[in-house]
């Protein structure tokens, strides 16, 4: 179980840093399904949430306290937002089982 989460964590970090993923998407999806089927859905959800929140906070830091031209700011913000959306779509494809089971049953 610990190895499964470690693979998933490494994959999420790779997605967030735009590096290659060592494990196949099918194997990652299967790891999520196995963890959820063994009663670990809440733990997987919380760990994924922490990873995404920490990465997002780090990404936002580049926009705080820095004075830059409005056009440059908007361009950088758009690039960051587009990248974030692509990352979330990729993560969702891996964690789809979690999304369709645990998240739907535990809104909020």
């Amino acid at each position: 179980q610990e190895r499964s989460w470690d693979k998933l964590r490494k994959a999420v970090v790779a997605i967030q840093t735009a590096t290659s993923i060592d494990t196949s998407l099918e194997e990652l999806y299967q790891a999520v399904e196995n963890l959820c089927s063994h009663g670990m859905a809440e733990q997987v959800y919380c760990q994924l949430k922490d990873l995404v929140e920490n990465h997002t906070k780090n990404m936002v830091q580049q926009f705080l306290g820095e004075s830059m031209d409005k056009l440059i700011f908007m361009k950088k913000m758009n690039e960051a937002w587009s990248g974030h959306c692509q990352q979330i779509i990729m993560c969702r494809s891996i964690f789809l089982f979690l999304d369709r089971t645990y998240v739907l049953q535990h809104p909020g």
Side-chain angles (χ1 to χ4, degrees), residues 13-104:
V13 170
I15 290 167
Q16 291 172 333
T17 57
T19 57
S20 62
I21 301 173
D22 296 336
T23 311
S24 74
L25 295 179
E26 184 177 343
E27 188 177 339
L28 294 169
Y29 181 91
Q30 189 66 47
V32 172
E33 187 174 349
N34 289 340
L35 288 170
C36 291
S37 298
H38 288 90
M40 299 188 67
E42 183 175 8
Q43 183 178 350
V44 171
Y45 174 80
C46 290
Q47 290 174 317
L48 176 61
K49 182 178 174 226
D50 287 345
L51 273 177
V52 173
E53 284 180 353
N54 288 334
H55 177 72
T56 303
K57 286 176 186 173
N58 289 335
M59 290 299 296
V60 167
Q61 287 301 315
Q62 67 182 312
F63 298 104
L64 300 178
E66 186 178 330
S67 178
M68 66 178 91
D69 178 72
K70 291 176 187 173
L71 186 60
I72 294 171
F73 175 85
M74 291 305 294
K75 186 174 182 181
K76 284 187 170 196
M77 180 61 80
N78 188 50
E79 289 171 0
W81 178 250
S82 295
H84 176 74
C85 289
Q86 290 173 347
Q87 293 166 9
I88 293 299
I89 289 168
M90 186 72 162
C91 288
R92 187 176 186 270
S93 69
I94 294 169
F95 291 89
L96 191 59
F97 189 85
L98 179 71
D99 193 30
R100 291 188 173 165
T101 55
Y102 178 79
V103 177
L104 287 178

